[in-house]
Structures are given as C-alpha cells and as structure tokens.
Amino acid sequence: MALEFSIQKTNGKGRRGRLHTPHAVIETPVFMPVGTVASVKGVPQETLEELGAQIILGNTYHLYLRPGVETVRRMGGLHGFMSWRRAILTDSGGFQVFSLSELRKLTEDGVTFRSHLDGSSHFFSPESAMEAQIGLGADIIMAFDECTEYPADASRARASMELTARWAARSKKYFEEHKNEVPWKSSRQPSAVSRKQQQIPRFARNDNSENRNDNTENRNDRELGGDHIPADPWSVTPDNSATQSLFGIVQGGMDHALRKESAERTIEIGFPGYAVGGLSVGEPRELTREIVESTLEHLPKDKPRYLMGVGTPEEIVEYANLGIDMMDCVLPTRAARHGLLFTSEGKVSIKQARYAQDQGPLDPNCGCRVCQRYSRAYLRHLYASNEVLAQVLNTIHNLSFYLDTMQRVRHSISLGEEYRFLSGAGLGRNLEL
C-alpha cells in the first residue's frame, strides 16, 4: 500500500484527515514547508521536527541540476541524503520550467530548457520527470504538467490543459512500470558503486529484518555516518510493499469549464490524490479563490486535495475551510529573509527603526523559541547588521506561525468550529481556540 487517506471529521466543507505515507502518518489539513534544494532555507531538520513539520517539499528541477538525481539515489533518496525521516513530496519541475519561459522550448514530447546555473541544455519529458522523482524517492510525487500563464486566451488555455492531460497519462504509465525502483528498497542499489557508496542510512532504507511497527530498535538505533539520530515518534520505516504515490494535477487556467474538464480527465486516468495547479501566477486573489472553489466541486471527496503554491496565513486558513487538505508556499521562508514576520497582531516589518528599542517579544501570543527568548529590538539589530542569525530566527518564527495556524485549524474542525483570522489586523488569530 503506497498511500491511505481517511477523513476523521468534517465541519462545513473543511475536513480533518489522516494521510498514511511510506515514511510518516500525516494529520491534515497540513502546511508543507518548501525545501527546494533538499533544505528549508536557514532551518536544520531537527528544528523542523521540533516545529511539527510533518512533510516537506523538494523540487525535481533544482535537485536534478544539483547535486544530481544519481547522487541522491545512492544515498537512499532524499530521506537519506538530507537525514529526514518524515514524509517528503517532490514537485515535478513543471512550474520551474514554466517560470524560466525565456529559456525553454515546448513540444509534445516534453520541454527543452537551459539551466539557470550554467546555461547547459536539458530535456524534461513526463517519463524523465518520473524517472527523476522515483530516484529522489519522495513519498508523494507529481505528474509532469504545463503551468498555464496568466493571462492566457481561450485557445492557449485549452491547448495547455490538453497537453497536461496527455502528459498525465504518460506520467502514470511510466510510474506504474517503474514504481518498485524507489531507492529505499535495497534491491535498487547499483552494482557498480563501492560498498561504502552503497551504504544507506538505516532510517532511509528497507531491510527485511526491520519491522515497520517496531518502536524499539527501529526508532532508537538510527545512524548516519556513525552519528546517533534521536528517535522520531512521527516516522515509520517503509515495508517491502511500500511505493511512492503519484498525484495528478488539474490545470485549465482561469476558465471554469476547462478546470472541470481537466479534473474529469485527470480523474479518469486515476490517481490516489489530486492537486490544483496553475495558480499564484499573477492573477488577483479573488480569482484564485473562485477557481479553487469551483475546481473542488469536481474532485473526489475521498482523495487528498493539494493546492500548490498558496498562500498567505489567512489564505491557508481560508482554503482549509474550503476542503483543501495539503498546501505549500515559499512565503514564510522568503518573507522571513526580507524581515517580514507574521504575528497574531498583524504583520511586522522588523527592519523598521521603531523596533530598535522594543524590549517586547515579537508575538506575545506565540510559543516558539524565538518569541520566548528574543526581543524585537534584538531581532531588528540582527537584521540591520545583516547577520545570518536574523534569517534563521525569522524563518523559525514564520514557520512556527504557519504550522501552529494549521494545527489550530485541525483542532477547530475536530471541535466542529470554523477557524478564522480576526478581520481587524488581517493576520490576527482567534486566540480563544
């Protein structure tokens, strides 16, 4: 079994669920921090675990270019390479190719593009994107799609949607033929590399002698390069039957009819989960919500729903209340690096001089290690001094804010209550929950 999804509780359109993946059991709705190059910028893996991150993202485009899929595969996939024992999702790279439109050439077969690193030419097809994602070994991988730009006329949006549908079928065909080649299965190791190169961190590999349900040796004796790694009660070890799960992506631009057709064609191909793609590409926020809401009407109620690349704190609450189960966005980490912090009292631009003498915590209602220890004055000083620690602490707080917000959403659904931000500050929280 690659993936199991069950809905535990509903409240209106919102639903609290449980997603079983090969490496972790995930409580949904869930926010997924973005770790584009096998790293959530500025935050080590143990800190992500402490913050409660259940699943993180990696990007196939960037990892394919550096360090290369083969390097990652030999280390037991991303789990072994980055020493992460919980779940991972990889994007197919389609959006990154789209964002580099000036450097790409699109055909029915796939996309030829130039590396943003050195200008070298490369080619992605549905098949090669699946091959790369299987080698990276994430729990959930994405079909190769084309992201429609905004604005796009009707003929362009239709052509893009139909190409995505054809590529989805090709993605699934290749995946079904090769899904047992995941790097956490010991049989996938190449004979050409040395024994030392073949060593896969214990928590990332699959041995018949290890029992998925063993909570003693399996979780308390995990090593990487001889260094002991503490037990993680959230993670599990994949068994022999475990494979990745391939999600389909619904496209169609901003056209309701095309979105409906894309959903129907993607469902007809058949996937264990469905993503809403092609948003946050420059369209107004009101239009984003409109497309998300209309697309959800056509997606199966018993499958996980993933909204790609969205959004602000209030948006993730809004979309969770609409029935989205999974979301990701670079905003909490990117904003942190620019000194923009999210709090229960509104947004804080810590670079502003008015915080230079402020002895109070960043957010008096936040329990993260940053708010419990450091003053706004100190955080402002670090940022003004261009200290790396500023980016680290800012990122920890923003991720904590996002993850805590989603935890509150799950709690509210369980209580049969709707969780909303306070309207006054725009980023306030209902502190009674």
Side-chain angles (χ1 to χ4, degrees):
M1 183 68 69
L3 180 144
E4 296 178 6
F5 179 65
S6 59
I7 298 174
Q8 311 295 311
K9 180 80 173 181
T10 61
N11 180 48
K13 294 180 180 180
R15 55 227 224 130
R16 179 167 186 171
R18 188 164 293 148
L19 186 65
H20 293 252
T21 71
H23 288 90
V25 178
I26 301 165
E27 299 292 329
T28 64
V30 63
F31 177 78
M32 305 179 286
V34 177
T36 301
V37 294
S39 169
V40 176
K41 292 185 184 298
V43 183
Q45 276 67 292
E46 60 268 23
T47 301
L48 290 171
E49 292 170 351
E50 291 171 3
L51 293 175
Q54 305 176 66
I55 176 173
I56 61 176
L57 268 69
N59 182 262
T60 301
Y61 167 87
H62 291 280
L63 293 167
Y64 161 83
L65 293 176
R66 185 173 56 193
V69 174
E70 183 62 16
T71 295
V72 176
R73 187 186 62 75
R74 289 182 178 182
M75 291 288 292
L78 284 171
H79 292 90
F81 181 62
M82 65 183 295
S83 186
W84 176 255
R85 294 157 294 180
R86 298 178 183 178
I88 299 175
L89 181 149
T90 49
D91 188 357
S92 69
F95 181 81
Q96 282 65 36
V97 173
F98 154 80
S99 65
L100 300 172
S101 58
E102 295 181 358
L103 304 177
R104 67 172 184 163
K105 180 180 179 181
L106 178 70
T107 68
E108 181 69 31
D109 291 336
V111 184
T112 301
F113 62 94
R114 292 195 175 276
S115 165
H116 71 289
L117 298 176
D118 59 13
S120 57
S121 180
H122 301 271
F123 177 75
F124 269 3
S125 67
E127 293 78 14
S128 65
M130 293 304 99
E131 180 183 22
Q133 288 188 85
I134 291 171
L136 294 173
D139 299 79
I140 299 171
I141 67 177
M142 305 304 298
F144 192 59
D145 65 324
E146 194 206 4
C147 183
T148 311
E149 68 277 4
Y150 176 84
D153 61 33
S155 60
R156 164 63 186 147
R158 170 161 287 282
S160 179
M161 182 277 289
E162 291 182 343
L163 182 62
T164 289
R166 294 192 295 272
W167 282 1
R170 288 168 56 187
S171 295
K172 183 181 179 182
K173 182 177 185 298
Y174 186 93
F175 174 75
E176 291 297 332
E177 294 171 350
H178 299 271
K179 63 184 179 181
N180 289 314
E181 299 173 7
V182 288
W184 65 68
K185 295 198 174 188
S186 56
S187 61
R188 183 65 175 90
Q189 298 178 43
S191 59
V193 298
S194 67
R195 179 177 296 274
K196 182 176 181 180
Q197 288 174 311
Q198 289 181 351
Q199 290 179 348
I200 295 175
R202 188 171 184 177
F203 66 82
R205 71 174 185 249
N206 176 55
D207 293 332
N208 292 334
S209 61
E210 294 191 14
N211 188 316
R212 180 181 181 132
N213 296 317
D214 182 4
N215 291 320
T216 55
E217 178 186 13
N218 204 28
R219 293 189 180 178
N220 294 317
D221 186 23
R222 291 171 176 165
E223 300 178 5
L224 177 61
D227 295 327
H228 180 72
I229 297 178
D232 181 2
W234 286 47
S235 65
V236 295
T237 301
D239 59 30
N240 278 328
S241 64
T243 62
Q244 299 167 296
S245 294
L246 174 64
F247 280 21
I249 303 177
V250 176
Q251 290 285 354
M254 306 302 153
D255 187 301
H256 291 263
L258 286 181
R259 286 280 174 173
K260 178 177 184 293
E261 182 178 344
S262 179
E264 291 171 348
R265 292 174 67 167
T266 308
I267 292 168
E268 185 178 357
I269 296 169
F271 296 94
Y274 297 90
V276 181
L279 297 174
S280 292
V281 291
E283 78 280 3
R285 177 185 170 185
E286 296 76 15
L287 183 54
T288 305
R289 180 195 163 103
E290 181 182 317
I291 294 299
V292 170
E293 199 162 13
S294 66
T295 303
L296 285 175
E297 296 175 2
H298 309 296
L299 295 181
K301 290 181 169 49
D302 61 341
K303 305 290 184 184
R305 304 156 169 176
Y306 167 28
L307 178 57
M308 307 178 76
V310 178
T312 64
E314 61 265 51
E315 284 174 337
I316 66 172
V317 172
E318 180 180 22
Y319 292 127
N321 286 332
L322 288 177
I324 292 291
D325 305 298
M326 306 165 66
M327 283 168 274
D328 76 280
C329 189
V330 298
L331 182 59
T333 50
R334 181 174 293 170
R337 297 195 299 276
H338 291 87
L340 179 62
L341 305 172
F342 301 103
T343 79
S344 62
E345 299 175 341
K347 291 181 288 187
V348 170
S349 178
I350 201 64
K351 66 181 73 173
Q352 294 181 1
R354 61 174 169 155
Y355 299 118
Q357 305 296 325
D358 193 332
Q359 300 180 41
L362 174 61
D363 185 348
N365 300 307
C366 179
C368 81
R369 61 167 70 174
V370 178
C371 292
Q372 293 298 304
R373 182 161 189 162
Y374 303 108
S375 67
R376 291 184 175 188
Y378 183 64
L379 295 176
R380 195 264 176 182
H381 161 71
L382 291 177
Y383 190 87
S385 302
N386 200 29
E387 284 289 331
V388 174
L389 183 58
Q391 299 184 26
V392 173
L393 296 181
N394 290 350
T395 302
I396 288 174
H397 168 77
N398 273 358
L399 286 176
S400 177
F401 186 84
Y402 267 68
L403 294 168
D404 287 352
T405 296
M406 197 55 71
Q407 184 179 39
R408 287 176 168 84
V409 171
R410 293 193 295 268
H411 180 63
S412 295
I413 294 173
S414 295
L415 294 177
E417 301 175 357
E418 185 172 1
Y419 184 86
R420 288 192 177 277
F421 281 88
L422 298 176
S423 58
L427 286 172
R429 288 184 288 181
N430 185 344
L431 300 178
E432 298 178 354
L433 296 179

